[in-house]
Amino acid sequence: MSSLREGPAIVVRREDYAPPAFWIDTVDLAFDLDPAKTRVLNRMRLRRNPDVAPQALRLDGEDLNLARVLVNGGGCSFRMDGQTLVLENLPEGAEPFDLEIFTTCAPEKNTQLMGLYVSQGTFFTQCEAEGFRRITYFLDRPDVMASYTVTLRADKDRYPVLLSNGNLVDSGNLPDNRHFAKWVDPHKKPCYLFALVAGKLVAREQRIVSRSGKEHLLQVYVRPGDMDKTEHAMNSLMASVVWDEARFGLPLDLERFMIVATADFNMGAMENKGLNIFNTKYVLANSATATDTDFANIESVVGHEYFHNWTGNRITCRDWFQLSLKEGLTVFRDQEFSMDLCADPSARAVKRIEDVRVLRTAQFPEDAGPMAHPVRPDSYVEINNFYTVTIYEKGAEVVRMMQTLVGRDGFRKGMDLYFQRHDGQAVTCDDFAQAVADANPGSELSRLLPQFKRWYSQAGTPRVQATGRFDAEARTYTLELAQTCDPTPGQSDKAPFVIPVAIGLLDAQGRDLPLHLDGGPAVSGTQTVVLSEACQSFVFTGIDAEPVPSVLRGFSAPVVLDMNLSDAELLHLLAHDSDPFNRWEAGQRLALRRALHAIRAEGPVHQEPLDEAFVAAMRAVLRHPALDAAFKELVLTLPAETYIAEQLDIVDPQRIHAVREAMRSQLAHALHEDWIWAYEQHRDNGAYRPDPVSTGRRALTGMALTMLCLAARDNGNPVWPGKAYQRFKDAGNMTDRFNALSALVIAGLPLASEALARFHGMFKQEALVLDKWFALQAGAPDRGGNVLPAVRQLLAHPDFNLRNPNRARSVIFSYCSANPGAFHRADAAGYVFWSEKVIEIDAFNPQVAARLARALDRWKKLAEPYRSAAREAIARVAAKPDLSNDVREVVTRSLAD
């Protein structure tokens, strides 16, 4: 819309924060809902902030039609400064005054999906970060917390369900077949947590009783016809309520808690107080339409949004630079929730490995690219661009390190003190860190707190160089750790971080040695040391023979570990390490070492880049009688192409793709009999259950089937393609069906086309399932440049809708962001496609366009001809005169030297 494209972009800086000149105590909103013209009456009670010099009241607004402004019931003078409403002649002194503003807006024309919009005939809102200004004029900033009363009026037939935050206090009929509902939120909140929903919806309901004996109503609202897909979301919500009260003593604080699902949503979900609005992707699931991954994601996201009720809503951010205060902490909490629901340590380890894999494949590149920023950024042009893996996932790792430094019980004490001090306030990352440290005065966190907080202020991923030295005569093992961090935009020099490093030492039989650090008391298994200087040495005594070091166990800090272990040492860790993360990591390092060797070699890619020792190690893992299937599948999954690329100074995407495909093909052939064994042993799992054991068995079965189809493609044997197609037809759940379909597509087998057509026919009425169908084709391995023409065909498919974010992501993002071997073409056609779509989407949804623009963040690492072609594509986008601030910030930073 035009409003996003007026005037120069303004850089907002953290150092410029100033408290608001006015406080808003109460807000009474009345909506007359109409898709074409919704009327909004906003009655506020304000007072001057006595700590700020008297000044005009400046209210944010965007794309609003202003009809009336009254102060204490009478007319008043005002002026417009751009889209900001300025009132200068307001009552003096400390007494509160009433301000009434009447506006209209057009929800059906709101394609940005920010503010009040219409999706499939239903009204929804999205106000974080700055969407409330698209509903009414307001102090649209998170440190202004007010009490809200909301009255909704609408046509009774078209909008029978009227929802807002808090508790329903009144409802009834109105003339002309209209009705109303009045909602009161008992808790003060910032305006970004406001929500309303109005439409034809049905609800799954569950009444629960908390530990204190209070009764609460839980509701999951969906469109009619989707009720059979809400049981898992409700079970996840109940589990979240129970867990938060048990783990952190945080009870549900409302009479009712509602989740509403919409198909048109820019993000995953939104934690509006008591009325969470979700992307359908994170609500709807049954065994016929959702995969194990979908079930796990729903559990995680439902937990995440519910946990925001305290970490984000009850205590919120002073300003948007503090975003990780709520998001990093809440990601940590949802990770802990998912791990605590796992029945055994192996399942917990699988969850941890999956989380780290996301961090290393998505956040580490961000930390090394043009959009690198600290966990607490210092400036931004468009805040929507900073809902990033740095804020969320790296922020969670910072919180996890706090827990490591103070212990699990100590972290609970810190949380208790945090709420004791700040409940009902808008605060900073510093306030949270201070509370955890103050609750644990004898801890390393308390001792090193000012230095620890560099994790909030410094961007970049630290590198830790580890060197071990065994002294047989002195019976000591010395581990020397050194840390560095590369420059990032605006930060050329980095001071040392506080890095907890979990260490184990294995003997020749693979057993953990007891650890005596500098002659101290023995610690069994794992010892955590704290690296706080540029270089430190740690001496373990009483070591009789040279051990194999296991460093950074559990991924105890978000760093890159450089340790030159031999293949023999890595194979020893892969076979014996008691720490599951480092056992997996040993396999990844072995695979990565072989991939890099093949990529750097001269001449054509060798078709068998793996040596027999590596293949034998993978066979041993696959056949291991004690390892869980889920863990085996993780170990046998080769490092992603994007992760391999990050290890190289100059990136040839096509060579990386060719090498990884050769490695996968070799494993498919060399372990052929083992894959048959794995498939036969794990394929039958009875009635569908999304528990960790069953999920792991299905994952390993799917991997085995893919490997067997890859081998069949090469040798022309029709047996396994036929078995895959039969499993696809006969499967009793979506996971098995989609795994079989994926095996055919990934292997590029003739039966894939028939299976894809059949799948579309079976699920053409299921939007989320069709998203998988689109994504599978856009993300398929490229063979001779075949994927981009297929992607362009998919865009012309009758079921493709560019304006639906889920559908756009399923094709365009799957190709541009998740399929480097197909996207980075020597003819630059992938980059041309990318630039076309960024510009096209930016015209109606800048937030989604800016996410897509990030696909070429790492263009400067590319080899020629990719590098010049990528730069030209970015420059083509940047040259467009009416870009949104969202996209302009991304491409400008990308092109900067």
Side-chain angles (χ1 to χ4, degrees):
M1 293 190 176
S2 59
S3 64
L4 287 179
R5 297 167 165 80
E6 290 180 359
I10 297 171
V11 178
V12 182
R13 303 185 190 281
R14 184 170 61 88
E15 64 187 13
D16 295 337
Y17 171 82
F22 294 81
W23 297 113
I24 302 176
D25 292 323
T26 63
V27 182
D28 191 325
L29 294 169
F31 290 82
D32 282 290
L33 293 168
D34 181 87
K37 186 178 182 180
T38 287
R39 296 164 176 81
V40 183
L41 181 61
N42 173 12
R43 296 190 180 97
M44 297 174 279
R45 174 151 291 185
L46 297 87
R47 56 188 166 86
R48 292 182 182 271
N49 183 348
D51 299 326
V52 176
Q55 55 190 266
L57 174 62
R58 300 178 62 85
L59 298 176
D60 303 299
E62 193 173 290
D63 289 342
L64 299 173
N65 299 304
L66 179 61
R68 183 171 74 237
V69 180
L70 302 175
V71 174
N72 287 332
C76 69
S77 61
F78 62 86
R79 63 183 175 87
M80 299 302 299
D81 180 4
Q83 297 214 61
T84 302
L85 175 63
V86 183
L87 294 92
E88 293 172 323
N89 300 312
L90 294 172
E92 303 287 341
E95 288 300 306
F97 60 92
D98 294 328
L99 175 62
E100 180 178 306
I101 299 174
F102 182 60
T103 56
T104 63
C105 59
E108 68 180 8
K109 294 182 180 178
N110 183 359
T111 62
Q112 295 179 31
L113 311 184
M114 288 290 288
L116 178 64
Y117 65 95
V118 175
S119 167
Q120 297 179 328
T122 301
F123 287 94
F124 293 97
T125 54
Q126 171 59 30
C127 295
E128 187 179 355
E130 296 177 339
F132 194 71
R133 65 188 63 188
R134 297 173 61 78
I135 295 174
T136 184
Y137 288 99
F138 205 76
L139 290 173
D140 192 355
R141 46 188 290 170
D143 56 351
V144 174
M145 302 176 74
S147 299
Y148 283 70
T149 299
V150 178
T151 303
L152 306 176
R153 294 185 284 264
D155 182 272
K156 193 173 182 179
D157 293 333
R158 296 174 67 189
Y159 310 106
V161 174
L162 304 174
L163 308 174
S164 191
N165 311 87
N167 300 317
L168 180 64
V169 297
D170 195 12
S171 62
N173 293 320
L174 296 169
D176 300 323
N177 198 42
R178 292 170 67 78
H179 68 140
F180 78 94
K182 184 175 183 179
W183 295 81
V184 174
D185 190 340
H187 300 281
K188 285 195 168 190
K189 64 174 178 282
C191 65
Y192 81 85
L193 292 173
F194 167 79
L196 75 78
V197 174
K200 292 180 180 178
L201 301 166
V202 293
R204 177 183 290 271
E205 298 187 344
Q206 181 70 49
R207 294 194 178 274
I208 62 169
V209 178
S210 66
R211 289 184 169 195
S212 64
K214 291 183 179 178
E215 187 175 277
H216 306 274
L217 175 62
L218 307 181
Q219 296 172 303
V220 177
Y221 283 92
V222 294
R223 290 170 59 81
D226 283 334
M227 183 71 88
D228 65 327
K229 304 185 192 78
T230 58
E231 182 180 10
H232 182 64
M234 178 61 82
N235 289 341
S236 299
L237 178 56
M238 289 190 290
S240 303
V241 174
V242 171
W243 181 86
D244 212 15
E245 194 163 9
R247 174 81 185 263
F248 289 109
L250 301 174
L252 177 55
D253 59 357
L254 291 165
E255 293 173 10
R256 74 168 75 196
F257 190 93
M258 298 169 282
I259 288 173
V260 186
T262 172
D264 292 296
F265 204 69
N266 285 340
M267 307 289 276
M270 178 61 209
E271 70 268 19
N272 317 297
K273 185 70 180 184
L275 180 57
N276 287 188
I277 298 179
F278 272 61
N279 190 321
T280 48
K281 181 180 176 69
Y282 298 111
V283 173
L284 303 181
N286 61 30
S287 62
T289 60
T291 64
D292 292 333
T293 299
D294 296 323
F295 276 85
N297 287 342
I298 288 168
E299 178 184 273
S300 176
V301 176
V302 168
H304 182 95
E305 304 308 329
Y306 175 77
F307 302 144
H308 266 315
N309 191 48
W310 284 88
T311 52
N313 297 5
R314 288 286 287 258
I315 302 179
T316 195
C317 307
R318 184 195 73 176
D319 53 69
W320 289 119
F321 298 104
Q322 318 297 329
L323 182 58
S324 196
L325 172 76
K326 71 183 186 77
E327 295 301 347
L329 175 55
T330 306
V331 169
F332 166 77
R333 277 157 48 71
D334 83 55
Q335 290 174 350
E336 290 287 286
F337 165 65
S338 294
M339 285 196 284
D340 284 353
L341 290 186
C342 296
D344 59 69
S346 179
R348 288 180 65 89
V350 165
K351 169 63 177 164
R352 180 64 181 146
I353 291 166
E354 290 170 344
D355 291 339
V356 173
R357 202 161 57 173
V358 170
L359 188 81
R360 295 206 301 202
T361 56
Q363 196 280 320
F364 280 17
E366 180 169 87
D367 245 347
M371 288 294 287
H373 55 276
V375 170
R376 183 191 57 213
D378 292 316
S379 66
Y380 61 80
V381 172
E382 175 51 64
I383 184 55
N384 287 330
N385 285 336
F386 288 85
Y387 283 74
T388 61
V389 279
T390 296
I391 301 295
Y392 282 65
E393 277 73 18
K394 185 176 180 180
E397 294 300 314
V398 174
V399 176
R400 185 172 298 282
M401 286 188 289
M402 290 188 197
Q403 177 171 269
T404 298
L405 292 171
V406 303
R408 185 173 166 121
D409 292 341
F411 187 77
R412 166 65 192 268
K413 290 177 185 175
M415 288 281 285
D416 290 347
L417 183 59
Y418 176 56
F419 284 105
Q420 182 183 321
R421 286 179 175 175
H422 300 298
D423 190 14
Q425 299 176 14
V427 301
T428 66
C429 296
D430 289 311
D431 293 319
F432 174 71
Q434 193 68 54
V436 179
D438 288 350
N440 298 275
S443 67
E444 290 289 86
L445 178 66
S446 179
R447 183 176 73 84
L448 298 167
L449 183 62
Q451 184 181 351
F452 180 86
K453 290 195 291 187
R454 289 173 187 161
W455 284 107
Y456 284 116
S457 60
Q458 293 186 157
T461 304
R463 300 188 79 92
V464 174
Q465 178 74 44
T467 307
R469 188 175 64 257
F470 173 63
D471 187 328
E473 187 175 335
R475 298 177 61 239
T476 61
Y477 183 83
T478 302
L479 187 68
E480 186 174 285
L481 300 176
Q483 61 166 303
T484 58
C485 187
D486 290 338
T488 55
Q491 292 185 341
S492 56
D493 298 315
K494 310 286 185 178
F497 292 82
V498 174
I499 302 174
V501 181
I503 297 166
L505 298 176
L506 278 66
D507 67 14
Q509 287 71 47
R511 298 172 302 210
D512 278 325
L513 292 170
L515 302 179
H516 300 262
L517 181 59
D518 294 323
V523 174
S524 61
T526 302
Q527 171 103 39
T528 299
V529 301
V530 178
L531 174 63
S532 57
E533 300 170 17
C535 185
Q536 284 172 258
S537 294
F538 302 91
V539 180
F540 298 92
T541 59
I543 307 295
D544 294 319
E546 182 161 7
V548 176
S550 173
V551 182
L552 206 70
R553 284 184 157 182
F555 200 69
S556 56
V559 302
V560 174
L561 175 66
D562 292 324
M563 191 169 191
N564 192 24
L565 295 178
S566 67
D567 277 7
E569 288 173 311
L570 289 172
L571 288 166
H572 191 68
L573 293 174
L574 176 59
H576 301 294
D577 202 332
S578 63
D579 179 69
F581 177 83
N582 269 7
R583 195 169 188 173
W584 169 79
E585 174 72 340
Q588 293 291 290
R589 285 178 181 270
L590 287 163
L592 183 63
R593 185 171 290 177
R594 282 142 183 82
L596 294 176
H597 176 76
I599 290 164
R600 290 168 175 150
E602 297 291 331
V605 170
H606 196 288
Q607 291 309 299
E608 291 192 349
L610 303 175
D611 54 280
E612 182 50 41
F614 180 82
V615 172
M618 292 299 106
R619 180 181 290 111
V621 169
L622 186 54
R623 292 275 191 169
H624 200 293
L627 293 176
D628 282 357
F631 182 77
K632 292 179 179 182
E633 192 268 344
L634 287 172
V635 173
L636 284 148
T637 299
L638 295 168
E641 291 176 31
T642 49
Y643 184 66
I644 296 170
E646 285 302 309
Q647 319 309 313
L648 296 162
D649 294 327
I650 299 176
V651 174
D652 180 341
Q654 291 302 326
R655 191 166 180 91
I656 293 173
H657 176 65
V659 166
R660 190 179 185 276
E661 287 297 288
M663 292 169 69
R664 183 159 66 163
S665 177
Q666 187 179 350
L667 285 177
H669 288 282
L671 302 181
H672 192 265
E673 294 305 313
D674 308 284
W675 293 122
I676 294 174
W677 170 86
Y679 178 80
E680 297 296 346
Q681 288 293 313
H682 298 87
R683 65 176 181 158
D684 294 324
N685 295 290
Y688 180 83
R689 298 186 309 278
D691 60 86
V693 172
S694 303
T695 296
R697 289 174 62 87
R698 282 187 289 271
L700 188 58
T701 302
M703 172 180 257
L705 195 55
T706 297
M707 290 299 203
L708 291 164
C709 284
L710 283 168
R713 180 198 66 203
D714 295 335
N715 60 32
N717 189 326
V719 172
W720 283 102
K723 286 190 175 186
Y725 188 57
Q726 195 62 42
R727 186 169 179 84
F728 161 75
K729 291 192 292 184
D730 296 344
N733 59 76
M734 176 55 74
T735 304
D736 287 337
R737 191 186 308 280
F738 197 72
N739 282 348
L741 176 63
S742 299
L744 294 169
V745 171
I746 289 169
L749 293 165
L751 280 171
S753 298
E754 189 177 333
L756 283 166
R758 189 183 186 106
F759 189 86
H760 181 271
M762 293 170 70
F763 296 105
K764 59 187 175 184
Q765 303 302 321
E766 297 285 351
L768 294 175
V769 181
L770 279 190
D771 287 339
K772 301 181 203 306
W773 181 82
F774 277 106
L776 178 61
Q777 296 173 79
D782 195 73
R783 295 186 174 90
N786 67 321
V787 174
L788 180 56
V791 164
R792 289 197 178 277
Q793 278 189 308
L794 289 172
L795 297 188
H797 194 281
D799 290 324
F800 183 78
N801 175 11
L802 187 64
R803 291 181 178 244
N804 175 260
N806 284 354
R807 192 55 49 84
R809 284 188 284 258
S810 73
V811 178
I812 300 169
F813 284 61
S814 294
Y815 174 69
C816 296
S817 301
N819 195 349
F823 176 55
H824 297 281
R825 295 168 53 112
D827 64 1
Y831 305 152
V832 171
F833 173 80
W834 168 87
S835 63
E836 292 170 356
K837 293 307 157 192
V838 169
I839 290 169
E840 184 178 359
I841 296 171
D842 190 49
F844 59 86
N845 193 327
Q847 201 170 331
V848 172
R851 297 271 165 165
L852 179 60
R854 298 286 308 275
L856 278 176
D857 268 4
R858 302 293 275 143
W859 69 272
K860 290 180 182 178
K861 280 177 69 103
L862 294 171
E864 294 293 358
Y866 309 104
R867 190 177 192 272
S868 296
R871 191 193 188 287
E872 184 179 333
I874 300 167
R876 190 180 307 122
V877 173
K880 196 162 193 309
D882 58 347
L883 279 181
S884 68
N885 285 340
D886 307 56
V887 171
R888 186 164 301 286
E889 180 174 28
V890 172
V891 295
T892 300
R893 288 182 64 155
S894 185
L895 291 171
D897 292 330

